[in-house]
Amino acid sequence: MSHEDDLIRSERVGFDQVLGFTIPDRHARGRVLRLGPTLETILSAHDYPPAIKHLLAEALVLTALMGSLMKEEDSQLTFQAQAQGGAIDLLVCDYLRGELRGYVSHDPEKAKAAGTSPRLETLFGEGYLAITFDLASSEERYQGIVPLEGDSLTRACEAYFAQSEQVPTLLRVAIRSEGAHCVAGGLLVQHFPEGEEGRERLHAKDDHPEWEHVAIMAGSTRHDELVDPTLSLEDLLIRLFHEEREVRVDPLSLLSRGCRCTVEHYQSVLSRFPEEQRAEMRDPDGTIPVDCAFCSKIIRVAI
């Protein structure tokens, strides 16, 4: 099945979509999404144990929610957790033009011993979460770093928004996994008390009456609603915010797996190495094998 066929199938069954929305009267904005085939494709690149598979699924939902907030098409969000002493050494996901990819480097034995619902400290030991925004037009980079503490990556991301962005933010993530099949959904809602999206944010407060109301409504989202393909994302928003005078909804955007492991990309990377080093990397056939951790493919590069 072609990439285009995958996107058409995802749209038809209600998966691999993200929907943006704004609630003007409450000075709030958000994103809601649901992942299916794209998520399964990314997870299938490696034989992850259940706890790692669940964690990567959560990270991919969060990456897509935050990445889709960026207005410029060629801007990129990178979600990276580095640690030592736990089951995981590195978790990295990124979002670019609606394309997602992700990978976890882990110790299989430690991951198995961690159980099915471990806390972040058990999985990572000592570590931190870095969220990086690379803006296309200005070529500026913004990064926020928070410790890997608590019961989930979702809570760590809420801490990031509170500390680095100083924007009241509510996040909900749901994951349903049955064997090789996995679906996930997510909701992000933020408060802009001084005006709608795009205007300057001042004096953001968690106890602002407008935000308290939105947070209560958004917080009522059920796990099964986020992963139910028969419930459209538009209908989910209606359920949550039916009391509001107006909810502005953006056109649906599709999400897909996007790995940039092309021969041309690796030729560009390897060209930066001195010829002496490239000679040491070459196999007898004259090519340099490059192992892509994201999609678990070996690309042979002639350079």
Side-chain angles (χ1 to χ4, degrees), residues 42-268:
I42 296 172
L43 296 178
S44 67
H46 298 276
D47 185 18
Y48 294 115
I52 304 299
K53 182 178 178 181
H54 187 282
L55 185 81
L56 181 54
E58 181 184 12
L60 288 164
V61 170
L62 294 168
T63 299
L65 286 171
M66 293 185 290
S68 63
L69 291 173
M70 298 185 294
K71 295 181 180 180
E72 298 177 8
E73 183 180 7
D74 291 328
S75 294
Q76 177 173 316
L77 179 135
T78 303
F79 184 101
Q80 183 168 316
Q82 289 185 306
Q84 58 182 3
I88 295 174
D89 302 315
L90 172 69
L91 180 152
V92 60
C93 302
D94 66 36
Y95 172 100
L96 177 65
R97 294 188 294 270
E99 295 183 343
L100 286 168
R101 61 179 183 171
Y103 166 70
V104 181
S105 172
H106 67 286
D107 182 315
E109 293 302 319
K110 288 184 178 180
K112 183 178 180 180
T116 56
S117 301
R119 290 176 60 83
L120 292 184
E121 293 91 335
T122 302
L123 283 174
F124 290 99
E126 295 183 1
Y128 64 87
L129 171 65
I131 299 172
T132 307
F133 294 86
D134 289 293
L135 306 184
S137 62
S138 63
E139 297 185 351
E140 293 181 296
R141 169 175 286 190
Y142 297 94
Q143 185 178 76
I145 297 175
V146 292
L148 285 165
E149 299 174 345
D151 59 354
S152 69
L153 290 174
T154 303
R155 300 286 83 79
C157 285
E158 286 183 334
Y160 158 78
F161 280 110
Q163 298 171 20
S164 299
E165 299 285 335
Q166 297 183 350
V167 178
T169 301
L170 179 141
L171 286 161
R172 292 289 182 269
V173 175
I175 299 163
R176 179 182 293 163
S177 182
E178 298 176 357
H181 298 291
C182 186
V183 299
L187 173 69
L188 178 152
V189 183
Q190 292 183 325
H191 189 221
F192 292 82
E194 294 302 318
E196 298 177 26
E197 180 177 355
R199 294 179 58 185
E200 186 177 9
R201 304 189 303 265
L202 299 173
H203 312 301
K205 296 181 179 179
D206 286 328
D207 60 354
H208 193 292
E210 289 178 352
W211 171 243
E212 288 183 336
H213 177 84
V214 171
I216 290 172
M217 296 298 100
S220 68
T221 310
R222 300 196 312 271
H223 183 284
D224 62 300
E225 291 176 316
L226 287 172
V227 295
D228 180 3
T230 66
L231 176 64
S232 72
L233 299 179
E234 295 92 337
D235 287 343
L236 175 56
L237 291 180
I238 291 172
R239 282 190 184 184
L240 294 175
F241 305 113
H242 64 276
E243 296 180 355
E244 298 304 319
R245 181 185 63 85
E246 180 185 13
V247 178
R248 299 176 185 171
V249 178
D250 300 330
L252 274 169
S253 298
L254 295 183
L255 300 167
S256 62
R257 183 188 71 89
C259 195
R260 298 183 284 280
C261 58
T262 64
V263 171
E264 293 76 16
H265 172 72
Y266 288 127
Q267 282 177 334
S268 174

Side-chain angles (χ1 to χ4, degrees), residues 280-302:
E280 294 176 358
M281 301 177 191
R282 290 190 183 101
D283 278 353
D285 65 359
T287 63
I288 299 176
V290 182
D291 187 356
C292 177
F294 289 102
C295 66
S296 195
K297 292 180 180 178
I298 295 179
I299 309 296
R300 292 199 164 271
V301 183

